[in-house]
Amino acid sequence: MQLTLWTYEGPPHIGAMRIATSMRDLHYVLHAPQGDTYADLLFTMIERQDRRPPVTYTTFQARDLGGSTAELVKAAVAEAFERFRPAALLVGDSCTAELIQDQSGALAAGMQLPIPVVALELPAYSKKENWGAAETFYHLVRALLADQVPAPGSKRPPRDPARRPRANLLGPTVLGFRCRDDVTEIRRLLDALGIDVNVVAPLGASVDDLRRLPDADFNIDLYPEVSRTLTGWLNRSFGMPATRTIPMGVGATRDFIAEVAALAGVDPSPLLGGETPGAAGRSSSASRQPWYARSVDSTYLTGKRVFIFADATHAIAAARIAAEEMGFTVVGLGCYARDFARDVREAAARYGVEALISDDYLEVEKAIAAAAPELVLGTQMERHIAKRLGIACAVISSPIHVQDVPARYSPVYGFEGANVLFDSWVHPLVMGLEEHLLQMFRDDFEFNDAAPASHLPAVAAQTMAVAELGMSDADDGPAWTADGERELKKIPFFVRGKARRNTESYARSRGLSTITVETLYDAKAHFAR
Amino acid sequence: MSNLHDIPVATRSGCDERPVLRERGQREVFCGLTGIVWLHRKLQDAFFLVVGSRTCAHLIQSAAGVMIFAEPRFGTAILTDRDLAGMADANDELDRLCVTLLERRPEIRTLFLVGSCPSEVIKLDLARAAERLNARLLPQVRVLSYSGSGIETTFTQGEDAALRTFVPLMPHTDARQLMVVGCLPDIVEDQFRRQFEQLGIADVVFLPGRRAADVPAIGPNTDLLPAQPFNGDTVRALVARGARLLRAPYPFGAEGTTAWLQAAARAWGVSPAAFDAVTGPARARAETALARQRPLLAGRSLFMLPDSQLEPSLARFLHRELGMRLIEVGTPFLDRQMVSEELALLPDDIVLSEGQHLDRQLDRVRAARPDLTVCGLGLANPLEAEGLATKWSIELVFSPIHGYDQAGDLAELFARPFARRARLAV
């Protein structure tokens, strides 16, 4: 048993629901008791879907156990087929149905429906949501392409040079992070290179679209958590190569363009010709990000301590942007999925930190508190942690909440995505000039702790005050003298919590029982970076 | 028994002659675990530990968007492969987790072990687990257990099952007292307490109280006044301990609140003049507030999908006090004993349905095209996209809606969809 307060991922059948709900004519019969329909509201509320997820729940009850639950499966399959007329059907168990072993997939397969029926086996007591999504996507495509797989060893014929190269965009789903807009952004890049998009899947795809996947020359593995299992199989079975670069950030987008151009056999210069790495000025990139990062207003971003925790794909990409494109210092990097732990560990080593691989929310909170970052880049869980600790935060990955599905166009991939990320990471921070003013006029009656930065919400002051209280080890820590306390108050509120903690730990390490003004400045010198 | 064989029939049964459309099929209703969302805020010294799957944990955090609490007083002991394969003794594991948990939260005085679908199916005996833990932890912490599983309970039945666990713990008393049964927001509880006091009913206890450790006494001179229609099992268990059930409509709206308070006043021999003197001003206030909302609601048609078992009571209020036209009133479970007074006040020409076959019910919604549909969050946006105005039923469970001073707020919850539509020009 594992004690959990909050979970980063749902059970694997939620992953299957994400695949079904992303597509247009697929239906999912889920053998599940009453209550499991809560999952519908993830789609209708967080993602604001205007239709119900295409899922039929069998809704078995205690009195059905030991007899008629299998009949319920067959009845639900028959009814779902009659009512919704899907082009293919997924059938599987939720956690409780797995225990009663009705073999719902086999039951449905035995019903001789005139459409493909894909039985899903998603072990609910060992696997989680992203794995469930990847597995569902893979099994669905495999079932649909079963009769198209070429004989082992056969070579893929070269592309007819008369037609443009074609790529599939694989992995975007509902409840993924900014997938809708990322797809638009990547389509633009491909179009500029003269590459056609063959199929986008699962988001917006039909069952027939999946049957056309082998018509592409290569695959773009856009969200590996969902698509890597499938792209691996397509590579092995159909000889279709797949990209490895995640086009998030200016540098990675440039790398992605080079990789895609190589796979497609086209000239990257329509896009890369205008990119000048290492150059200042507005014209050095299709993105404004490099110039914004170099403009003097951004100097205050230098060395800001950032803690990154997300799914592996977004966490690794964010770390590169933080270090190379924002000039931050990465003080923590981790992800909640063990499946991609190796990639995250490799990335963490590049920034000299130890990777945090955990799905224990409390452990993540502890690590963030210990690292005392100035900015947290995370999921909606880290948003709550950061709020509690009074630290600025931007969300970069699922799990998401309704505010992470914005109305405006806001991709995080591609050149426009880099612009979006610059804005959304900088806005939670106290702005450069404001930081200086707070330093200079800290005794001004209108410009003190109770009056937080102008662009931050009014509640900020309150949460920061709470955070500072929470950070002080009043009970067993060294005591502050009145002078020391007064001096501490002169430090701007957004770094005061850290100053207090650093000073106290410095005093403790020196065996000091009281903290004076001198101790405060000794500690400052000690921790100066 | 299967969905296909289960052809809906209108049956007449019991003393109430009203026909009921009973349906069996896919339900879009939460399970009893969801009650933890409000129970854990009400009982300030209690922790709710669900023994279940990742789905249970995901359900509770998603159902109400309760991530606002940094460290909530609930959690899930997630069963893993090791527990199911018998590699780990589930009982030892559970004991270990409970002890770890209580070390972390030393202020907890009552720990609820909450059964789920998986724990019921594998027959993990949580009652025995509670006994075992009590032997170790009492008197510091009391461990109680109930099931909130979806195979046995629907949404608000979770509260009923939780409150039911207090009944065997209640000491006996022969003192005359009034017991109000059902979780109420603190502010509403305080208002009712003041009103009972003004009526001269001084010995009032609320179940649950604000602390799970404070278990009230019960006996033959206890009058029960249910404040929520979904606590039928608890009420019956209290009656079995000798208490007397006062029958009344529930305190929604000016009329409902008056009838509810009157049931207590009559039992305690409060004179009609004294009753009017005490309740008159509050009732007038409620009626003024309702009059403001009535023009938005009168004559509009209403379809209620099953959710919280509050449906018959709210339908009565919306029909009688605000003039709404009822098409169908669905409820996940119709506990006739608990709502007999409400059913008597509903008009005859409505469909009263129990249980759910979601797709068939949505067919009826689309055919009727009601002015307002009360439904769960999973259905609201899809129905809005079809041009149907909706009201989220979950808000009716999480907002203070009981009593005179909330009557206007309750009406406003139903009027807001119309007010909003009137404002939007896009």
Side-chain angles (χ1 to χ4, degrees):
Chain A
M1 274 180 215
Q2 184 199 352
L3 179 63
T4 307
L5 300 182
W6 305 118
T7 95
Y8 283 90
E9 292 183 78
H13 72 255
I14 298 290
M17 278 186 76
R18 283 172 57 184
I19 302 298
T21 308
S22 296
M23 288 183 54
R24 285 186 286 156
D25 51 3
L26 183 64
H27 199 85
Y28 183 20
V29 172
L30 182 62
H31 197 20
Q34 169 173 241
D36 283 20
T37 49
Y38 80 88
D40 287 2
L41 70 88
L42 303 172
F43 300 92
T44 60
M45 296 306 290
I46 295 176
E47 186 87 31
R48 296 181 214 253
Q49 289 261 311
D50 62 358
R51 56 171 194 148
R52 280 170 59 211
V55 181
T56 297
Y57 303 80
T58 59
T59 314
F60 60 85
Q61 299 179 14
R63 60 181 175 181
D64 304 320
L65 295 177
S68 52
T69 51
E71 288 303 310
L72 281 178
V73 174
K74 289 201 258 182
V77 168
E79 261 192 81
F81 176 70
E82 279 304 315
R83 183 175 281 270
F84 300 105
R85 294 280 163 181
L89 194 65
L90 303 173
V91 181
D93 293 338
S94 78
C95 53
T96 309
E98 184 181 330
L99 297 172
I100 57 179
Q101 301 184 328
D102 278 331
Q103 315 286 343
S104 58
L107 284 174
M111 290 172 68
Q112 310 296 330
L113 294 180
I115 52 167
V117 173
V118 180
L120 297 177
E121 284 191 27
L122 308 173
Y125 298 91
S126 55
K127 298 292 188 180
K128 289 182 275 187
E129 178 178 338
N130 280 336
W131 182 88
E135 198 69 3
T136 301
F137 193 26
Y138 160 63
H139 279 290
L140 173 64
V141 171
R142 212 183 139 145
L144 295 171
L145 294 184
D147 52 0
Q148 293 186 44
V149 178
S154 48
K155 266 200 104 48
R156 196 177 171 80
R159 167 169 69 91
D160 173 1
R163 76 160 167 83
R164 302 206 325 169
R166 286 196 288 247
N168 297 317
L169 300 188
L170 300 182
T173 59
V174 286
L175 294 179
F177 192 71
R178 306 284 170 88
C179 292
R180 174 196 74 191
D181 297 343
D182 285 351
V183 166
T184 305
E185 194 59 21
I186 298 305
R187 271 180 183 280
R188 278 184 196 166
L189 293 181
L190 295 179
D191 191 53
L193 291 171
I195 300 168
D196 289 333
V197 172
N198 181 52
V199 170
V200 178
L203 192 63
S206 69
V207 167
D208 271 342
D209 288 339
L210 298 186
R211 291 195 173 95
R212 296 192 295 107
L213 285 176
D215 294 350
D217 301 300
F218 65 100
N219 291 313
I220 293 177
D221 199 0
L222 217 47
Y223 301 96
E225 273 84 353
V226 174
S227 46
R228 187 156 293 169
T229 310
L230 176 62
T231 56
W233 180 75
L234 288 171
N235 191 12
R236 290 192 302 280
S237 307
F238 289 86
M240 300 174 75
T243 55
R244 298 290 293 184
T245 313
I246 297 301
M248 188 167 139
V250 173
T253 298
R254 288 168 178 161
D255 295 349
F256 172 81
I257 291 164
E259 185 184 20
V260 165
L263 283 173
V266 300
D267 174 15
S269 60
L271 287 176
L272 289 188
E275 298 296 310
T276 323
R282 276 183 187 277
S283 56
S284 67
S285 172
S287 174
R288 288 181 200 95
Q289 200 279 348
W291 169 239
Y292 272 46
R294 281 189 160 77
S295 68
V296 290
D297 182 76
S298 297
T299 48
Y300 76 99
L301 299 174
T302 312
K304 286 253 188 239
R305 298 159 56 80
V306 56
F307 193 105
I308 302 164
F309 192 87
D311 68 11
T313 296
H314 291 89
I316 295 169
R320 176 173 173 187
I321 299 167
E324 297 179 8
E325 300 177 19
M326 303 293 281
F328 293 155
T329 300
V330 176
V331 295
L333 178 60
C335 82
Y336 52 79
R338 288 191 187 279
D339 323 36
F340 289 78
R342 209 177 60 185
D343 299 342
V344 177
R345 287 206 179 90
E346 277 172 23
R350 283 200 288 281
Y351 306 107
V353 294
E354 199 184 326
L356 173 63
I357 312 294
S358 172
D359 64 349
D360 182 347
Y361 167 89
L362 295 173
E363 198 183 335
V364 177
E365 182 176 60
K366 218 159 86 188
I368 291 177
E374 290 153 289
L375 178 67
V376 174
L377 302 174
T379 71
Q380 63 146 329
M381 310 293 221
E382 283 66 46
R383 189 197 336 257
H384 288 278
I385 293 173
K387 192 164 130 195
R388 204 154 93 98
L389 298 176
I391 303 170
C393 177
V395 171
I396 57 163
S397 145
S398 293
I400 53 169
H401 219 303
V402 64
Q403 60 268 58
D404 306 312
V405 188
R408 67 181 183 278
Y409 181 63
S410 45
V412 294
Y413 282 4
F415 290 127
E416 182 60 22
N419 296 335
V420 170
L421 290 174
F422 181 88
D423 289 347
S424 54
W425 295 6
V426 166
H427 285 178
L429 298 167
V430 175
M431 284 185 286
L433 189 55
E434 200 140 24
E435 192 170 312
H436 292 299
L437 292 174
L438 279 166
Q439 286 275 17
M440 286 165 65
F441 301 115
R442 58 197 160 204
D443 292 328
D444 185 299
F445 72 99
E446 282 181 334
F447 213 78
N448 53 30
D449 309 9
S454 58
H455 68 295
L456 297 177
V459 292
Q462 196 191 342
T463 53
M464 286 180 186
V466 170
E468 204 198 333
L469 280 179
M471 284 176 183
S472 163
D473 303 322
D475 293 342
D476 53 344
W480 287 75
T481 62
D483 282 358
E485 191 83 44
R486 244 193 319 276
E487 199 69 14
L488 180 69
K489 287 259 163 63
K490 295 179 187 167
I491 295 170
F493 65 87
F494 48 86
V495 287
R496 193 180 307 143
K498 196 171 80 175
R500 178 190 283 277
R501 235 186 1 260
N502 281 350
T503 310
E504 285 173 1
S505 81
Y506 174 82
R508 231 178 270 121
S509 73
R510 294 286 184 286
L512 304 174
S513 57
T514 55
I515 296 173
T516 63
V517 178
E518 291 306 307
T519 324
L520 179 68
Y521 286 109
D522 284 347
K524 184 176 185 234
H526 177 79
F527 286 105
R529 51 172 190 247
Chain B
M1 244 218 293
S2 80
N3 292 352
L4 285 186
H5 303 149
D6 186 54
I7 291 154
V9 280
T11 54
R12 285 168 186 272
S13 62
C15 49
D16 184 84
E17 287 300 294
R18 181 181 299 281
V20 174
L21 174 63
R22 288 208 171 75
E23 286 200 298
R24 196 58 224 287
Q26 175 176 329
R27 287 186 168 209
E28 188 88 9
V29 181
F30 290 135
C31 63
L33 293 183
T34 327
I36 292 171
V37 172
W38 64 88
L39 286 168
H40 93 282
R41 296 324 296 174
K42 181 72 188 178
L43 298 168
Q44 295 170 11
D45 59 343
F47 192 99
F48 292 79
L49 182 65
V50 177
V51 182
S53 64
R54 182 168 301 282
T55 314
C56 305
H58 200 234
L59 167 124
I60 301 178
Q61 83 181 41
S62 309
V66 285
M67 281 287 299
I68 48 170
F69 307 119
E71 189 166 348
R73 286 190 302 275
F74 64 78
T76 307
I78 296 187
L79 295 161
T80 64
D81 269 352
R82 284 167 44 80
D83 302 299
L84 298 178
M87 284 153 67
D89 183 325
N91 291 309
D92 291 348
E93 285 283 291
L94 185 58
D95 291 5
R96 178 182 62 80
L97 273 191
C98 291
V99 171
T100 316
L101 179 73
L102 292 169
E103 277 167 4
R104 251 186 90 81
R105 305 295 299 265
E107 76 283 13
I108 297 301
R109 290 288 164 268
T110 302
L111 173 65
F112 285 94
L113 301 179
V114 188
S116 66
C117 298
S119 76
E120 294 296 325
V121 167
I122 65 168
K123 300 201 176 353
L124 196 58
D125 192 341
L126 295 183
R128 290 218 10 219
E131 244 173 67
R132 197 172 59 236
L133 284 160
N134 275 329
R136 195 162 150 189
L137 299 167
L138 274 172
Q140 192 61 25
V141 179
R142 181 187 297 283
V143 183
L144 297 169
S145 76
Y146 71 92
S147 173
S149 85
I151 55 176
E152 295 156 306
T153 62
T154 164
F155 195 19
T156 47
Q157 281 178 304
E159 175 178 317
D160 192 15
L163 298 188
R164 173 90 176 65
T165 63
F166 288 123
V167 181
L169 307 177
M170 292 179 178
H172 178 87
T173 178
D174 287 318
R176 183 88 209 272
Q177 62 171 356
L178 179 70
M179 183 184 282
V180 178
V181 184
C183 220
L184 292 169
D186 291 350
I187 184 169
V188 175
E189 188 184 310
D190 291 342
Q191 289 169 7
F192 283 149
R193 197 181 285 281
R194 280 199 298 273
Q195 277 156 354
F196 286 126
E197 235 163 62
Q198 287 163 2
L199 288 169
I201 308 173
D203 296 311
V204 183
V205 290
F206 286 81
L207 180 70
R210 293 179 195 188
R211 291 167 41 83
D214 303 337
V215 178
I218 185 92
N221 294 313
T222 301
D223 285 340
L224 299 177
L225 188 58
Q228 303 278 19
F230 44 73
N231 290 314
D233 283 350
T234 303
V235 164
R236 284 180 282 272
L238 291 166
V239 168
R241 293 279 314 259
R244 196 167 68 108
L245 174 61
L246 304 179
R247 291 181 182 279
Y250 291 87
F252 301 116
E255 182 191 43
T257 305
T258 303
W260 187 76
L261 290 171
Q262 212 154 34
R266 235 182 259 126
W268 286 68
V270 179
S271 75
F275 182 81
D276 287 345
V278 168
T279 57
R283 179 171 190 164
R285 216 159 49 220
E287 277 164 359
T288 308
L290 291 175
R292 259 202 303 278
Q293 307 297 340
R294 194 173 298 117
L296 277 168
L297 294 169
R300 307 256 202 182
S301 60
L302 178 74
F303 197 118
M304 301 181 94
L305 272 69
D307 192 62
S308 61
Q309 297 187 57
L310 293 174
E311 294 84 4
S313 310
L314 295 174
R316 180 262 303 159
F317 162 69
L318 292 165
H319 174 68
R320 291 174 60 93
E321 297 194 55
L322 294 158
M324 290 193 84
R325 207 153 47 74
L326 307 176
I327 298 171
E328 177 168 336
V329 177
T331 188
F333 172 62
L334 187 67
D335 189 338
R336 284 175 179 278
Q337 191 188 3
M338 294 296 287
V339 292
S340 56
E341 307 296 306
E342 301 286 18
L343 296 182
L345 295 173
L346 287 176
D348 289 330
D349 60 342
I350 64 163
V351 175
L352 181 64
S353 63
E354 181 187 15
Q356 194 173 30
H357 183 295
L358 178 62
D359 287 313
R360 281 188 211 141
Q361 195 168 37
L362 289 176
D363 287 345
R364 295 199 294 277
V365 170
R366 291 177 183 122
R369 292 208 63 86
D371 295 320
L372 188 66
T373 306
V374 180
C375 63
L377 290 177
L379 296 170
N381 268 336
L383 289 176
E384 290 279 351
E386 293 182 31
L388 295 165
T390 61
K391 168 82 223 90
W392 315 344
S393 45
I394 191 137
E395 208 170 357
L396 303 166
V397 179
F398 291 162
S399 316
I401 58 170
H402 293 70
Y404 288 128
D405 290 312
Q406 279 68 239
D409 302 343
L410 177 57
E412 197 273 340
L413 287 179
F414 293 92
R416 198 180 306 161
F418 299 117
R420 181 149 191 82
R421 287 181 160 227
R423 281 164 186 259
L424 297 181
V426 288

